[in-house]
Amino acid sequence: MAPITIQDVQTFLIQYSGGGTRFVIVKIITSEPGLYGLGCATFTQRFRPVYAAIEHHLKPFVIGKDVTRSEELFNMMLVQSYWRNGPVLNNAISGIDQALWDIKGKLANMPVYQLLGGKCREAAAVYAHADGREPKEVVDNVRKFQAQGYRYIRVQMGGYGGKADKMVKPEGALPGAYFDPREYTRNMLKMIDYVRQEVGEEVELLHDVHERLAPIDAVQFAKDVEPYKLFFLEDDLAPEDIEYFRMIRRQCATPIAMGELFNNPREWRLMIEERLIDFLRMHVSQMGGITPARNAAIHGNIYGVRTAWHGPGDTSPVGHAANLHLDLWAPNFGIQEWCRFPPLVYEMFPGLPEVRNGYMYPNDKPGLGIEMDEKLAARYPCTDEVDWWTQTRLPDGTPSRP
Ligand code: MG
């Protein structure tokens, strides 16, 4: 029997609101009438180079290839540019990889989680984001989520910045998203202490430092939050400073989550093998798709490290569907981040997973189980405005990690 081949690759750029999130969605059309797949290639801050990498480099390479050979195609796409890795190329590869898993599931008439090994659970527990300008507002928002059935809640105050109000800037300071790391740690400790006292021990609390601290301050912060028994502390250190995780491990038992900025197995391999982290937080499209995520999950499982795939608003709906299939299968699933899309996004992506009572459920359709209303999506094209929140500065104006 002649193989089913890739006939066309289409790349969709979608910005559904003024919030700055731009989705990059790949659609693979096959030689089998009506058979196609969708994949997430979303790198929201640099979506145009991803588009170019797919349309001008991967598309000519994959056209005519056998759709069933997703493993071989992933590995060849990884090396075929000679210069490899990085968020642009990995996201482009992910768009193709996820779409091929979607197609494989449709060919087998099975959901993707069945191809991975089948369900270990019926639904994935998710966590939502509670924020507030002061601790009481954070508590109010935690209680709103509890009332909706959420049992895992990330608590932040003033976004990632902590919004220092008494900051003294130099004369002539340039515009930017200013941030005081030391004040942040003091304010966050007070907030976490207050939230824990108010809501009790049953709620699982999480916190994301967003890699904004000097390494030694990050070590101190991990120790300081230990008594509050967080479910995890996320990105306490930047990828550039991961050696400091050894210091944290020697000094406290705060559970550590890390990985949304990783894109090369070298970045997570030693952290797993040295048992420096507890949760893998990789952004599945940024690592290259379902194929490398499956490998990392299996590697983590051998060492007792759980999964917690990145799932904010700049993971596309197709990416959230991919996360869910990995979550349902992985024996070492930990938790899934969830961003609560508005009704418009559900209309644009029929089959987008639903969350009820703190659990995300699959729809059990073949493949990834998600569709895209292309006519509706076309009404929301991407724009090129310059992102503001990523122009982070320290109090004296020094550019800093967002
Ligand atoms: Mg994060």
Side-chain angles (χ1 to χ4, degrees):
M1 200 174 89
I4 297 169
T5 56
I6 298 174
Q7 293 293 296
D8 193 15
V9 177
Q10 298 170 356
T11 313
F12 297 82
L13 303 178
I14 304 158
Q15 185 172 3
Y16 72 88
S17 76
T21 294
R22 296 86 156 195
F23 298 146
V24 184
I25 308 292
V26 169
K27 181 178 184 181
I28 290 182
I29 317 279
T30 75
S31 56
E32 181 78 13
L35 178 65
Y36 66 90
L38 296 178
C40 175
T42 300
F43 177 3
T44 202
Q45 289 85 0
R46 295 291 185 268
F47 57 97
R48 295 211 190 272
V50 176
Y51 179 90
I54 297 164
E55 287 290 321
H56 298 291
H57 300 293
L58 292 183
K59 179 167 155 176
F61 171 69
V62 300
I63 283 191
K65 299 282 196 300
D66 180 343
V67 296
T68 62
R69 299 183 60 139
S70 52
E71 184 75 41
E72 190 240 328
L73 275 175
F74 168 79
N75 282 281
M76 187 56 85
M77 286 190 291
L78 207 59
V79 296
Q80 195 261 336
S81 58
Y82 180 63
W83 309 100
R84 58 187 180 272
N85 301 311
V88 171
L89 296 181
N90 280 6
N91 267 288
I93 290 169
S94 167
I96 306 284
D97 178 78
Q98 293 190 7
L100 290 176
W101 278 93
D102 190 23
I103 289 167
K104 199 185 291 286
K106 288 171 177 170
L107 278 172
N109 198 26
M110 285 180 183
V112 167
Y113 64 74
Q114 293 287 16
L115 307 181
L116 292 166
K119 281 184 194 174
C120 275
R121 57 200 59 78
E122 304 313 306
V126 298
Y127 71 88
H129 299 178
D131 206 316
R133 282 157 297 183
E134 35 82 37
K136 180 161 182 322
E137 193 177 349
V138 179
V139 167
D140 292 344
N141 286 325
V142 167
R143 291 205 165 114
K144 275 182 206 159
F145 282 121
Q146 285 184 280
Q148 294 167 38
Y150 289 94
R151 294 168 298 283
Y152 299 81
I153 300 166
R154 192 186 82 165
V155 289
Q156 309 288 134
M157 194 168 67
Y160 300 121
K163 300 284 184 291
D165 19 81
K166 285 170 270 169
M167 192 180 296
V168 181
K169 299 179 201 168
E171 294 163 14
L174 297 174
Y178 277 78
F179 165 70
D180 183 337
R182 302 273 294 178
E183 184 175 19
Y184 166 87
T185 57
R186 292 191 293 272
N187 289 343
M188 290 309 116
L189 271 180
K190 283 181 205 154
M191 180 273 287
I192 292 168
D193 177 68
Y194 180 78
V195 173
R196 185 52 95 198
Q197 281 184 44
E198 290 292 312
V199 302
E201 286 184 337
E202 296 78 29
V203 191
E204 296 289 0
L205 299 177
L206 304 82
H207 181 72
D208 185 358
V209 175
H210 231 255
E211 44 149 1
R212 287 182 169 214
L213 302 178
I216 195 64
D217 291 339
V219 175
Q220 180 71 56
F221 189 67
K223 288 169 64 178
D224 289 343
V225 297
E226 187 182 23
Y228 303 107
K229 298 192 166 49
L230 297 180
F231 186 73
F232 66 54
L233 179 66
E234 175 183 354
D235 287 0
D236 193 33
L237 291 162
E240 293 86 346
D241 298 323
I242 54 177
E243 290 80 3
Y244 281 85
F245 277 116
R246 296 190 186 109
M247 208 181 282
I248 291 176
R249 276 304 212 219
R250 283 197 290 266
Q251 299 194 38
C252 69
T254 296
I256 298 293
M258 179 75 189
E260 72 189 51
L261 288 152
F262 289 166
N263 55 54
N264 184 301
R266 284 183 67 86
E267 293 171 294
W268 59 81
R269 193 176 71 205
L270 285 177
M271 298 199 66
I272 290 172
E273 291 172 9
E274 287 193 38
R275 297 171 171 87
L276 297 178
I277 52 172
D278 304 282
F279 294 91
L280 295 168
R281 282 280 294 145
M282 277 82 86
H283 187 102
V284 168
S285 66
Q286 149 100 353
M287 31 181 340
I290 292 171
T291 300
R294 175 203 59 191
N295 294 347
I298 291 169
H299 192 183
N301 188 39
I302 295 165
Y303 291 85
V305 178
R306 288 171 274 174
T307 66
W309 307 118
H310 196 227
D314 56 4
T315 294
S316 77
V318 177
H320 280 277
N323 284 347
L324 177 60
H325 286 271
L326 289 159
D327 296 341
L328 294 170
W329 151 72
N332 52 329
F333 167 72
I335 191 74
Q336 178 59 57
E337 183 181 27
W338 173 233
C339 63
R340 301 179 304 124
F341 283 118
L344 170 64
V345 179
Y346 275 90
E347 201 186 332
M348 204 180 284
F349 291 91
L352 176 57
E354 289 179 14
V355 171
R356 298 186 294 277
N357 208 24
Y359 282 111
M360 184 186 282
Y361 289 88
N363 57 28
D364 292 327
K365 292 200 174 118
L368 292 173
I370 190 160
E371 304 292 326
M372 177 170 57
D373 182 335
E374 293 175 30
K375 278 202 185 114
L376 181 57
R379 284 166 48 195
Y380 296 88
C382 287
T383 56
D384 282 340
E385 74 259 32
V386 175
D387 286 314
W388 176 253
W389 76 273
T390 47
Q391 295 181 49
T392 319
R393 293 182 188 278
L394 299 178
D396 69 355
T398 308
S400 178
R401 291 182 294 255

PDB file of all heavy atoms in Angstrom, residues 127 154 160 208-210 234-235 260 281 310 337, ligand 1:
ATOM      1  N   TYR A 127      -3.790  23.658  37.993  1.00  0.00           N
ATOM      2  CA  TYR A 127      -3.733  24.801  38.906  1.00  0.00           C
ATOM      3  C   TYR A 127      -4.022  26.085  38.155  1.00  0.00           C
ATOM      4  O   TYR A 127      -3.741  26.211  36.969  1.00  0.00           O
ATOM      5  CB  TYR A 127      -2.407  24.871  39.665  1.00  0.00           C
ATOM      6  CG  TYR A 127      -1.171  25.263  38.890  1.00  0.00           C
ATOM      7  CD1 TYR A 127      -0.806  26.600  38.746  1.00  0.00           C
ATOM      8  CD2 TYR A 127      -0.322  24.305  38.351  1.00  0.00           C
ATOM      9  CE1 TYR A 127       0.360  26.968  38.081  1.00  0.00           C
ATOM     10  CE2 TYR A 127       0.835  24.659  37.688  1.00  0.00           C
ATOM     11  CZ  TYR A 127       1.177  25.991  37.544  1.00  0.00           C
ATOM     12  OH  TYR A 127       2.330  26.341  36.885  1.00  0.00           O
ATOM     13  N   ARG A 154      -1.812  28.903  42.207  1.00  0.00           N
ATOM     14  CA  ARG A 154      -0.564  29.674  42.220  1.00  0.00           C
ATOM     15  C   ARG A 154      -0.855  31.062  42.767  1.00  0.00           C
ATOM     16  O   ARG A 154      -1.812  31.708  42.327  1.00  0.00           O
ATOM     17  CB  ARG A 154      -0.007  29.776  40.802  1.00  0.00           C
ATOM     18  CG  ARG A 154       1.416  30.295  40.750  1.00  0.00           C
ATOM     19  CD  ARG A 154       1.879  30.530  39.326  1.00  0.00           C
ATOM     20  NE  ARG A 154       1.411  31.805  38.822  1.00  0.00           N
ATOM     21  CZ  ARG A 154       1.883  32.413  37.731  1.00  0.00           C
ATOM     22  NH1 ARG A 154       2.837  31.842  37.015  1.00  0.00           N
ATOM     23  NH2 ARG A 154       1.401  33.561  37.335  1.00  0.00           N
ATOM     24  N   TYR A 160       4.586  39.307  38.240  1.00  0.00           N
ATOM     25  CA  TYR A 160       5.898  38.774  38.609  1.00  0.00           C
ATOM     26  C   TYR A 160       6.775  39.840  39.247  1.00  0.00           C
ATOM     27  O   TYR A 160       7.840  39.552  39.758  1.00  0.00           O
ATOM     28  CB  TYR A 160       6.606  38.202  37.376  1.00  0.00           C
ATOM     29  CG  TYR A 160       5.841  37.090  36.740  1.00  0.00           C
ATOM     30  CD1 TYR A 160       5.416  37.165  35.425  1.00  0.00           C
ATOM     31  CD2 TYR A 160       5.510  35.966  37.483  1.00  0.00           C
ATOM     32  CE1 TYR A 160       4.697  36.139  34.849  1.00  0.00           C
ATOM     33  CE2 TYR A 160       4.784  34.936  36.921  1.00  0.00           C
ATOM     34  CZ  TYR A 160       4.378  35.032  35.597  1.00  0.00           C
ATOM     35  OH  TYR A 160       3.659  34.018  35.039  1.00  0.00           O
ATOM     36  N   ASP A 208       5.630  31.325  41.531  1.00  0.00           N
ATOM     37  CA  ASP A 208       6.577  31.427  40.412  1.00  0.00           C
ATOM     38  C   ASP A 208       7.452  32.664  40.593  1.00  0.00           C
ATOM     39  O   ASP A 208       6.961  33.790  40.528  1.00  0.00           O
ATOM     40  CB  ASP A 208       5.775  31.517  39.098  1.00  0.00           C
ATOM     41  CG  ASP A 208       6.667  31.501  37.862  1.00  0.00           C
ATOM     42  OD1 ASP A 208       7.907  31.467  38.016  1.00  0.00           O
ATOM     43  OD2 ASP A 208       6.114  31.521  36.743  1.00  0.00           O
ATOM     44  N   VAL A 209       8.741  32.462  40.827  1.00  0.00           N
ATOM     45  CA  VAL A 209       9.685  33.584  40.985  1.00  0.00           C
ATOM     46  C   VAL A 209      10.046  34.203  39.631  1.00  0.00           C
ATOM     47  O   VAL A 209      10.478  35.347  39.552  1.00  0.00           O
ATOM     48  CB  VAL A 209      10.964  33.107  41.728  1.00  0.00           C
ATOM     49  CG1 VAL A 209      12.013  34.197  41.792  1.00  0.00           C
ATOM     50  CG2 VAL A 209      10.613  32.614  43.126  1.00  0.00           C
ATOM     51  N   HIS A 210       9.845  33.435  38.547  1.00  0.00           N
ATOM     52  CA  HIS A 210      10.127  33.919  37.197  1.00  0.00           C
ATOM     53  C   HIS A 210      11.592  34.318  37.039  1.00  0.00           C
ATOM     54  O   HIS A 210      11.907  35.299  36.364  1.00  0.00           O
ATOM     55  CB  HIS A 210       9.192  35.082  36.837  1.00  0.00           C
ATOM     56  CG  HIS A 210       8.511  34.884  35.510  1.00  0.00           C
ATOM     57  ND1 HIS A 210       8.877  35.563  34.379  1.00  0.00           N
ATOM     58  CD2 HIS A 210       7.495  34.074  35.146  1.00  0.00           C
ATOM     59  CE1 HIS A 210       8.100  35.180  33.364  1.00  0.00           C
ATOM     60  NE2 HIS A 210       7.259  34.274  33.799  1.00  0.00           N
ATOM     61  N   GLU A 234       8.527  27.720  41.625  1.00  0.00           N
ATOM     62  CA  GLU A 234       8.893  27.628  40.215  1.00  0.00           C
ATOM     63  C   GLU A 234       9.932  28.670  39.816  1.00  0.00           C
ATOM     64  O   GLU A 234       9.862  29.825  40.252  1.00  0.00           O
ATOM     65  CB  GLU A 234       7.617  27.837  39.388  1.00  0.00           C
ATOM     66  CG  GLU A 234       7.878  27.889  37.905  1.00  0.00           C
ATOM     67  CD  GLU A 234       6.608  28.163  37.110  1.00  0.00           C
ATOM     68  OE1 GLU A 234       5.522  28.199  37.722  1.00  0.00           O
ATOM     69  OE2 GLU A 234       6.714  28.352  35.902  1.00  0.00           O
ATOM     70  N   ASP A 235      10.849  28.266  38.954  1.00  0.00           N
ATOM     71  CA  ASP A 235      11.867  29.161  38.378  1.00  0.00           C
ATOM     72  C   ASP A 235      12.487  30.075  39.426  1.00  0.00           C
ATOM     73  O   ASP A 235      12.601  31.293  39.232  1.00  0.00           O
ATOM     74  CB  ASP A 235      11.270  29.979  37.220  1.00  0.00           C
ATOM     75  CG  ASP A 235      11.030  29.143  35.975  1.00  0.00           C
ATOM     76  OD1 ASP A 235      11.323  27.928  36.017  1.00  0.00           O
ATOM     77  OD2 ASP A 235      10.559  29.692  34.964  1.00  0.00           O
ATOM     78  N   GLU A 260      10.544  25.994  31.912  1.00  0.00           N
ATOM     79  CA  GLU A 260       9.810  26.546  30.770  1.00  0.00           C
ATOM     80  C   GLU A 260      10.725  27.188  29.736  1.00  0.00           C
ATOM     81  O   GLU A 260      10.353  27.298  28.578  1.00  0.00           O
ATOM     82  CB  GLU A 260       8.721  27.527  31.239  1.00  0.00           C
ATOM     83  CG  GLU A 260       9.217  28.849  31.764  1.00  0.00           C
ATOM     84  CD  GLU A 260       8.101  29.670  32.422  1.00  0.00           C
ATOM     85  OE1 GLU A 260       7.395  29.123  33.288  1.00  0.00           O
ATOM     86  OE2 GLU A 260       7.944  30.835  32.061  1.00  0.00           O
ATOM     87  N   ARG A 281       9.006  21.512  34.011  1.00  0.00           N
ATOM     88  CA  ARG A 281       8.039  22.546  33.630  1.00  0.00           C
ATOM     89  C   ARG A 281       8.180  22.942  32.167  1.00  0.00           C
ATOM     90  O   ARG A 281       7.774  24.049  31.782  1.00  0.00           O
ATOM     91  CB  ARG A 281       8.286  23.788  34.502  1.00  0.00           C
ATOM     92  CG  ARG A 281       7.750  23.691  35.881  1.00  0.00           C
ATOM     93  CD  ARG A 281       6.256  23.982  35.919  1.00  0.00           C
ATOM     94  NE  ARG A 281       5.954  25.350  35.564  1.00  0.00           N
ATOM     95  CZ  ARG A 281       4.869  25.716  34.892  1.00  0.00           C
ATOM     96  NH1 ARG A 281       3.996  24.823  34.466  1.00  0.00           N
ATOM     97  NH2 ARG A 281       4.653  26.985  34.626  1.00  0.00           N
ATOM     98  N   HIS A 310       4.293  23.483  31.007  1.00  0.00           N
ATOM     99  CA  HIS A 310       3.933  24.909  30.970  1.00  0.00           C
ATOM    100  C   HIS A 310       2.583  25.083  30.260  1.00  0.00           C
ATOM    101  O   HIS A 310       2.413  24.588  29.149  1.00  0.00           O
ATOM    102  CB  HIS A 310       5.038  25.640  30.188  1.00  0.00           C
ATOM    103  CG  HIS A 310       5.060  27.108  30.338  1.00  0.00           C
ATOM    104  ND1 HIS A 310       5.178  27.956  29.256  1.00  0.00           N
ATOM    105  CD2 HIS A 310       5.002  27.896  31.432  1.00  0.00           C
ATOM    106  CE1 HIS A 310       5.206  29.203  29.687  1.00  0.00           C
ATOM    107  NE2 HIS A 310       5.099  29.207  31.004  1.00  0.00           N
ATOM    108  N   GLU A 337      -0.603  23.258  34.552  1.00  0.00           N
ATOM    109  CA  GLU A 337      -0.956  24.687  34.625  1.00  0.00           C
ATOM    110  C   GLU A 337      -2.092  24.972  33.643  1.00  0.00           C
ATOM    111  O   GLU A 337      -2.110  24.446  32.532  1.00  0.00           O
ATOM    112  CB  GLU A 337       0.276  25.532  34.257  1.00  0.00           C
ATOM    113  CG  GLU A 337       0.052  27.033  34.360  1.00  0.00           C
ATOM    114  CD  GLU A 337       1.299  27.820  33.959  1.00  0.00           C
ATOM    115  OE1 GLU A 337       2.106  27.302  33.160  1.00  0.00           O
ATOM    116  OE2 GLU A 337       1.459  28.950  34.457  1.00  0.00           O
TER     117      GLU A 337
HETATM  118 MG    MG B   1       6.506  30.168  34.919  1.00  0.00          MG
END
